[in-house]
């Protein structure tokens, strides 16, 4: 919790400095069934239309359906704990999650989440990652973003980046459309294959890297000129972002099933989005170029 609080402060300070106008509003809350959190949300800044960084530390007893939303290994854990159908699952989870939606179509949306989950003091795992969702493709930006996380991953395991990058591409897939939400990053879940302190340090470094990976990209593009058509395309991609979060996102589903705070859970959604019937980018356009990257993930570093 202390590490995530420090991360929340660092990320918010870096975003406020880059924005130049917007300030995060802190909103502390308590959960009736156990725990609480601090939500920090910026609205209508110079650069960001909406940005939120939410800390939550919650515990209690959840239905088994909530555990299934939290981890792919739910059935294994339920069997290990000897739970019968209908038994509730004792849990504790501490996490920091963030989504940032800039105004300028040339500035990408960014998401991260880092958390530690424990069940009945017997089972634990780390989960999280950081990923990026541009509306337009700048390959140098993607090399910078992915490269900064590969550098951290390589310090801990030579296979981490390749594995977690692939995991992000597969996890952030909008299955009903056959395209990814964005251009990935790293994502991991059920990480408990080595000592807890090592994995804690890995998560800490990944969180600490968020401003380094993201803010230079925003500084590069925040004053780029854009057209109404480019803004329209950004809003269409935000519609895709919304579809993923409401249909597939594990954190959203877990939060709803576990009785989480709705305002904090749905903070991830953009204020503005579009859904147009049967929309297709023009052949040879920049919009079609990035759609190819959404449909066929590739290496950036």
């Amino acid at each position: 919790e202390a590490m995530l609080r420090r991360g929340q402060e660092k990320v918010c300070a870096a975003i406020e400095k880059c924005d130049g106008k917007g300030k995060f509003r802190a909103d502390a809350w308590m959960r009736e069934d156990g725990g609480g959190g601090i939500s920090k949300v910026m609205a209508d800044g110079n650069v960001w239309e909406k940005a939120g960084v939410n800390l939550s530390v919650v515990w209690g007893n959840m239905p088994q359906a909530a555990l299934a939303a939290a981890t792919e290994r739910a059935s294994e854990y339920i069997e290990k704990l000897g739970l019968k159908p209908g038994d509730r699952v004792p849990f504790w989870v501490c996490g920091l999650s963030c989504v940032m939606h800039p105004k300028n179509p040339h500035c990408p949306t960014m998401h991260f989440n880092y958390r530690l989950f424990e069940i009945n003091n017997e089972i634990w795992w780390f989960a999280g990652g950081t990923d990026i969702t541009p509306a337009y493709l700048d390959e140098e930006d993607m090399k910078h973003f992915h490269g900064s996380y590969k550098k951290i991953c390589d310090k801990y395991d030579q296979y981490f980046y390749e594995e977690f990058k692939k995991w992000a591409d597969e996890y952030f897939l909008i299955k009903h459309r056959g395209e990814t939400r964005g251009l990935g990053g790293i994502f991991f879940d059920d990480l408990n294959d080595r000592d807890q302190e090592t994995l804690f340090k890995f998560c800490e470094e990944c969180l600490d890297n968020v401003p380094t990976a993201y803010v230079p990209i925003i500084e590069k593009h925040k004053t780029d000129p854009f057209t109404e058509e480019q803004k329209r395309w950004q809003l269409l991609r935000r519609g895709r972002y919304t579809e993923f979060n409401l249909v597939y996102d594990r954190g959203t589903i877990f939060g709803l099933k576990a009785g989480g705070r709705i305002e904090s859970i749905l903070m991830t959604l953009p204020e503005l989005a579009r859904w147009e019937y049967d929309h297709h980018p023009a052949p040879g356009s920049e919009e079609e170029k990035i759609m190819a990257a959404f449909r066929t993930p590739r290496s950036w570093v």
Side-chain angles (χ1 to χ4, degrees), residues 48-160:
W48 280 276
E49 174 185 285
K50 185 181 181 184
V53 190
N54 290 343
L55 173 73
S56 63
V57 187
V58 298
W59 57 84
N61 294 283
M62 63 182 172
Q64 293 181 25
L67 182 62
T71 171
E72 293 181 350
R73 297 171 64 182
S75 58
E76 172 190 335
Y77 295 151
I78 288 170
E79 182 179 355
K80 184 175 180 179
L81 293 168
L83 298 176
K84 301 178 179 63
D87 287 348
R88 293 179 72 84
V89 184
F91 76 98
W92 178 94
V93 60
C94 180
L96 186 70
S97 61
C98 163
V99 177
M100 299 193 173
H101 295 292
K103 293 180 176 180
N104 193 310
H106 300 292
C107 291
T109 287
M110 183 273 299
H111 159 260
F112 72 75
N113 181 292
Y114 293 96
R115 62 189 179 274
L116 172 62
F117 212 114
E118 294 184 355
I119 302 174
N120 203 29
N121 296 319
E122 295 180 37
I123 297 166
W124 60 268
W125 68 90
F126 288 93
T130 308
D131 62 280
I132 196 161
T133 303
Y136 289 94
L137 178 58
D138 184 315
E139 296 198 12
E140 289 303 313
D141 292 347
M142 294 306 100
K143 289 177 183 177
H144 165 77
F145 183 85
H146 281 264
S148 71
Y149 277 99
K150 183 178 186 302
K151 185 177 179 180
I152 294 172
C153 287
D154 288 350
K155 286 176 59 177
Y156 288 86
D157 191 306
Q158 62 177 324
Y159 299 108
F160 265 8

